[in-house]
Amino acid sequence: MNEWNSSLPLSSLELIEPKEVEALAEANVHVLEDLLNWFPRRYEDRRRFDAFPVQVTGEPVCLRGMVVDSARKRFGGRRQFYEVVVEGSGDSLLSTSRITCRWFNMPYLHRMVAVGHEVVIYGKPKEQGSRMVIDHPEFEVVQDDEGSSVHLERIVPIYRNISGIPARRLRELLYEVVGRHELEWGEGRSPVFGDCSRGEMLRDVHFPDEMDKARFARRKFALEEFFLLQLRVLWRRQRFRSQPGRIQGRKTGLLRSFHESLPFDLTDAQKRSVHEITADLRSERPMNRLLQGDVGSGKTFVAMGAMILVVESGSQSALMAPTQILAEQHYLTFSKWLSPLGIRVALVTGSRKESDHLDLEGDPQIVIGTHALLYDNVNFTDLGLVVIDEQHKFGVTQRSKLIQQGTIPDVLVMTATPIPRTLTLTMYGDLDVSVLDELPAGRGKIITGMRQKPKVSDVTKFLREQLGSGRQGYIVYPLVEESEAVRASSAKGEVEKWTKRLRDYEVGLLHGKMKPEEKEEVMSRFRDNEIQVLVATTVVEVGVDVPNANVMVIYNAERFGLAQLHQLRGRIGRGPHQSYCILATDGKSEEGKRKLQILEKTTDGFRIAEEDLTLRGPGEVLGTAQSGMSDMRFVEFLADAGLVREARQLAEEALAHDPELEESPGLRKRVEESQRDA
Ligand code: ADP
Ligand code: MG
């Protein structure tokens, strides 16, 4: 018999039929380890089943019983469904131990479940007339002639389906495989398991005696995944830092003049960040730093400082923004503050020709643009610093592309999306972090209120009051319709209505379908207070900075994510006036209301991010491909701060003890493979 190691091809196991090997391969399960890594998605405790429900609780139940009736039916003459009645074998005469199961449009099901079958069913019951019904329950027909120790009288693993392999068969396969000894292998071995046996942990994941054991073991495997992730991140960081970087930022005269020219003092958090960045610039190691801070916390002015330091050292700086509006806004801000200091600033965006803008006397010292900066037309003579705004909108590859131009520049990444600390460690674990955890003084408070179907007349009255005292406002509509075109026209319709309601004031429109020039025109008229109210889709989300605007009404607020609402709200509260954010909702969804209540309670972005994480889970919060987390197996554990920190620490220890991982060739191989993929 073959040696049972992790990379043993499944085709070499007699246990598995060639057809099954094919089916498994379709699901990307090729070798023994792949199969063992096919973890249960849930468990059923089939030592004791739930009682047949008599009322709806919203919780799923797991029942065992006998099929006593079945029928194929039609719904309103069209939709076909198959229905069976399952009766509990329990001795309770009091409860109605019957439940109806229905499956729609699955015509072959009557061949799988029929009268006389004993079944285990799992699903959420609902009430229908006098009956309890489960639509599309998961089910398994009990066969007591074989394998009851695998499928019954124990905690049973329920796996994700592999097409071509019945659920019971898959469970039996895993039972066999897990039952073999020798599941300890050296290759890629991590220090995560410590004194625990990895083989035993695998057994506990697949066929646990107790749920606690399964949980404990899963956590161990999650820790292993996170450990490997941290090892890669720290490895990358180690590589990056070992490259020769630039020593710059020694002279600070220009920076001092800049700070003296500002009408305000930097906040302590800004000063701290400038210090941290200065130290990085001066170090011969390349900088790779994340500047994290809520909207309006003053990140731009920190970045400006960094760029000035580099300019004074005789090199160029580039600032990359995620949208054209934002790039243009940055350009205006930079020109306003830096031109008086004699610094040459240029704007490069997709829609504008380089020649229009790079015609300044001499090379520009600071170049601002969108991702167009990455492609062709801009040739930097000597790029010393790259600042990337709103990192989460860029893929990692884009980041490295700009960085590849010339000798490695220092890199500063800015994000206004407050990310819980644990996620930062994972997503940006190769970066050093500076945090702006303090807003500049003299900002008016933002009062946020959720309103259920507010009356138009009330909203209008409130807006007129604020406009009457000289303020401006936003009215935001979300993605009510699928297409941007439809959405734009609905926002257009709203503009007409608001124009009538807010007579005497100018109402403008901003949406994603507008040409960049049109957008810029509307924005500049809003900035100049020629437009008092901006009706907008979410394009106002980033970068709009009009301190005089103090009201925001968000319609269908429940449709936005928490983070997005927080970003939107960040457009107000930028000036000294008290600001108001009205979250209008139809109030139908409880979850939606809970979300909006969080915003009523706090304006602290980090707290909101934490709440978002618990509300939606890490997978949702991070999004998919962009975050580079899409192939993680244990995403749900990202919310487990203790676990993430433990993984980080284990990885740090491993590298401190053995920086090149020479003693663990298996680990080193894994890490190197992942770098190549990236
Ligand atoms: P962010 O980029 O973090 O959203 P900005 O750098 O654009 O924030 O700053 C937001 C607003 O606050 C700007 O209008 C800016 O002029 C102002 N600002 C920045 N730093 C300070 C400060 N230390 N004191 C007062 N106002 C500040
Ligand atoms: Mg440096």
Side-chain angles (χ1 to χ4, degrees), residues 262-268 270 291-304 326 329-330 333 336-337 389-390 414-416 436 438-443 543-547 570-571 573-575:
L262 293 175
F264 49 74
D265 291 331
L266 294 191
T267 64
D268 288 341
Q270 282 173 315
L291 177 62
Q292 215 184 354
D294 228 328
V295 272
S297 59
K299 291 181 297 298
T300 313
F301 285 78
V302 173
M304 237 186 271
L326 195 50
Q329 178 127 11
H330 276 314
T333 313
K336 173 177 169 190
W337 296 107
D389 196 2
E390 298 289 339
M414 301 198 284
T415 175
L436 297 182
E438 170 187 11
L439 288 181
R443 296 280 167 84
V544 176
D545 185 14
V546 180
R571 300 306 117 212
R574 301 195 139 228

